[in-house]
Amino acid sequence: MARGYAAEGRRVLRDPALLSTIVILWLLLALFVVYPLAELLARAFSDEGKFTLEPLLSGLADASNRSAFVNSLILATTVGVLGTALGFLFALTATRAGLGRRWLTALDAASLLPLVSPPFTTSIAIVFSFGPKGFISHDLLGLENVSAYGYWSTALAETLTYFPIGYLTLRPILAAIDPNLEEMAFSLGGSRWRIFRTVTVPLCVPGFANAFLLLFAASLADFATPLILAGNSFSVLPTQAYLQITGMFDFKGGAVLSLMLLVPAMAVFLLQRYWVGRRVYVTVTGKVGQRSRTRAMAPWVSVALTLGCAAVAAVILYFYALLLYASLVVAFGANNSFTWRHYQVIFTEGLPAIRDTLIIALIGMPLGGFYGVLVGYLIARKRFPGLRAMELVTMINYALPGTIVGIAYLIAFNDPPLALTGGASIIIACYIFRYSPTGIRATVALLQQIDRSLEEASASLGAGSGQTFRRVTLPLIAPAFFAGLGVVFIRSMTAISATIFLVSLSWTLITVRILENMTELSLGPAAAFSVFVIVVVFVVVSGLSAILARFRAPTAGAAARSLLGG
């Protein structure tokens, strides 16, 4: 192994194009991943140039911070459990209920809608439904002085927003379980319930653990939903850190609070690794026999699961229909006369935010897509000193809660000599290095299915590594490139947790304007902005999906199926 790496290292040194590419990538990773995190740690653990734990201990000694920390754990655990259960319900229905293609398409569309809209869209709909003048609480039930704010409304909003992550995680795992395993257990006299409990569920343990981890981390990083719905009675750490910096301009205090988020995130990650690593879950062995035709579940169970998913999908569609309706009336709950005024507002007063967001998204999209396939290509096809370190560093910003990344960028790039905050470049860099890992992993997965001999044939004919990458490899991994484009564009249009700290008077974002409108109780423009974002994202994603369909091939595998990996 060591000799192989030494030989590859010498080969890299003899290839100027490859060497310069690796050096440039390391410089970019050092600047936009390692340096901000180092500055965050230095700010949190230093006082007058000396290392100290005093800021952290002071933060932990504050009763309000401890309460916010506990609340964050409670909320993230609730969302993790409920979101994983809901994701499993949808995944089980999609893979075992025998639904037709049209029903599966409708199920996917309803469940993935929250992923392509701003993260607090559900929060707005909950206020419209259960607020003092809410459609359900006031108009249907006739209740007065009701509140849509608190722990349960926040947990509901985050669960409905993030459960598609659990669905996307669990569906391929359930689909990969050979039905013959369940058929063999069934032929030995096991009931369907026992087979489900002793065969299907245990094989899904890696998916449960990963889904819970992702949902836990998503909830832990979300400050916009608690800021809108949780109120003062249920404070959480992300909102505390946000208010510490934006309200009190206390960068050190914000850094300390953001680092406190790392403790539960790392604990859940290590627990997940330990839990999954104790046992073997291999179900794909390469030995293919005749596939079982026995239904894995009774017909009445299929009907029950389908009805359960339909009920959840109906709630989601109701929320978004209500959002559309609220954007088209004068004042929801008070004056329901039809009007275009809210859209006139967003296309006049809100036009700078729309322009800035689209410019940033359209610049970041190709850069993020190319960065993803380039790094993925190096990881999958090249061997050089520092390869594993590069793979690890590229995943750091993706794995960290967005609040931590945003505060780290603010601390690192707020002062000379790298005073980049306030401009578009730092927001674009944040999106690229935070969301491109999706394209990186898709590229690695595709290249694992493509024979190296294709690239070796090009090299044997005298082509350099750059020419081989452009003419041979890049066309073959085009699906991963477009997947990376889609994810970066979606997140550029909808994300807020990291970039809320990087906007300025010169460059702002639609999601920031939505949050401002919500805090100012300008609910109509907030709803109109949300509808606009959803329409734009669906148009762009549909266009990219149409282009992606042209690159589908047997070698493309699952990575080419959709921009979201479903």
Side-chain angles (χ1 to χ4, degrees), residues 171-486:
R171 181 175 174 177
I173 292 177
L174 277 167
I177 296 176
D178 191 345
N180 291 320
L181 293 173
E182 296 165 333
E183 166 62 15
M184 286 186 290
F186 191 77
S187 66
L188 292 173
S191 64
R192 286 189 174 94
W193 166 246
R194 185 174 183 182
I195 293 169
F196 174 76
R197 181 170 52 85
T198 61
V199 178
T200 307
V201 171
L203 289 174
C204 291
V205 165
F208 289 140
N210 284 323
F212 179 83
L213 172 67
L214 292 171
L215 287 161
F216 186 94
S219 174
L220 205 63
D222 185 6
F223 80 91
T225 301
L227 192 63
I228 294 171
L229 289 178
N232 296 327
S233 60
F234 193 80
S235 60
V236 292
L237 272 182
T239 56
Q240 291 281 82
Y242 169 72
L243 295 174
Q244 194 85 11
I245 288 180
T246 59
M248 304 176 64
F249 301 101
D250 182 5
F251 284 20
K252 183 182 289 291
V256 170
L257 291 178
S258 66
L259 286 177
M260 289 171 65
L261 292 171
L262 281 179
V263 177
M266 287 300 298
V268 171
F269 174 75
L270 294 175
L271 179 62
Q272 178 257 357
R273 297 279 293 185
Y274 169 74
W275 184 21
V276 174
R278 289 187 304 167
R279 300 171 65 181
V280 177
Y281 304 91
V282 175
T283 62
V284 181
T285 63
K287 300 178 181 179
V288 181
Q290 185 176 2
R291 293 181 69 85
S292 168
R293 294 187 179 183
T294 301
R295 291 181 64 87
M297 59 179 62
W300 70 268
V301 176
S302 298
V303 172
L305 291 177
T306 303
L307 290 176
C309 289
V312 176
V315 171
I316 293 172
L317 293 176
Y318 155 75
F319 278 161
Y320 282 86
L322 192 66
L323 192 74
L324 176 62
Y325 176 73
S327 72
L328 293 172
V329 297
V330 175
F332 183 85
N335 185 348
N336 292 327
S337 301
F338 177 81
T339 181
W340 290 105
R341 188 177 67 185
H342 302 313
Y343 287 94
Q344 292 173 352
V345 169
I346 70 170
F347 286 114
T348 54
E349 297 175 17
L351 191 59
I354 293 176
R355 182 194 61 235
D356 293 348
T357 302
L358 289 175
I359 289 174
I360 289 171
L362 292 174
I363 294 176
M365 181 172 64
L367 293 177
F370 182 72
Y371 166 78
V373 297
L374 183 60
V375 174
Y377 169 74
L378 292 177
I379 292 173
R381 283 292 192 260
K382 300 298 178 180
R383 295 169 64 187
F384 54 88
L387 172 63
R388 295 305 168 201
M390 176 180 285
E391 183 177 7
L392 176 64
V393 172
T394 58
M395 297 299 295
I396 289 178
N397 278 5
Y398 181 77
L400 289 175
T403 309
I404 294 179
V405 176
I407 294 175
Y409 269 53
L410 178 62
I411 291 174
F413 301 112
N414 197 52
D415 300 312
L418 296 173
L420 302 179
T421 53
S425 59
I426 191 62
I427 301 176
I428 294 171
C430 182
Y431 284 140
I432 291 173
F433 291 95
R434 178 156 169 74
Y435 298 116
S436 291
T438 301
I440 293 173
R441 302 321 303 175
T443 302
V444 171
L446 271 178
L447 286 173
Q448 288 173 343
Q449 297 175 312
I450 297 173
D451 197 331
R452 290 175 178 266
S453 61
L454 296 172
E455 294 157 299
E456 291 170 354
S458 174
S460 67
L461 292 174
S465 59
Q467 189 176 11
T468 299
F469 177 75
R470 290 194 309 272
R471 295 190 173 185
V472 178
T473 309
L474 192 56
L476 291 173
I477 59 176
F481 173 69
F482 284 101
L485 291 183

Side-chain angles (χ1 to χ4, degrees), residues 70-89 114-115 119 122-123 126 150-167 169-170 207-226 229-230 234 236 238 268:
V70 173
N71 289 344
S72 297
L73 293 182
I74 294 173
L75 179 62
T77 303
T78 303
V79 173
V81 172
L82 295 180
T84 301
L86 207 54
F88 183 66
L89 170 67
L115 284 184
T122 307
S123 305
I126 287 177
Y151 162 70
W152 283 111
S153 59
T154 306
L156 173 63
E158 289 193 351
T159 299
L160 291 178
T161 300
Y162 298 122
F163 90 88
I165 298 173
Y167 170 55
T169 303
L170 289 164
F208 289 140
N210 284 323
F212 179 83
L213 172 67
L214 292 171
L215 287 161
F216 186 94
S219 174
L220 205 63
D222 185 6
F223 80 91
T225 301
L229 289 178
F234 193 80
V236 292
V268 171

Side-chain angles (χ1 to χ4, degrees), residues 50-73:
K50 297 180 181 179
F51 175 80
T52 177
L53 293 176
E54 179 60 29
L56 181 61
L57 295 177
S58 299
L60 291 173
D62 191 308
S64 62
N65 290 341
R66 291 199 307 272
S67 175
F69 180 76
V70 173
N71 289 344
S72 297
L73 293 182

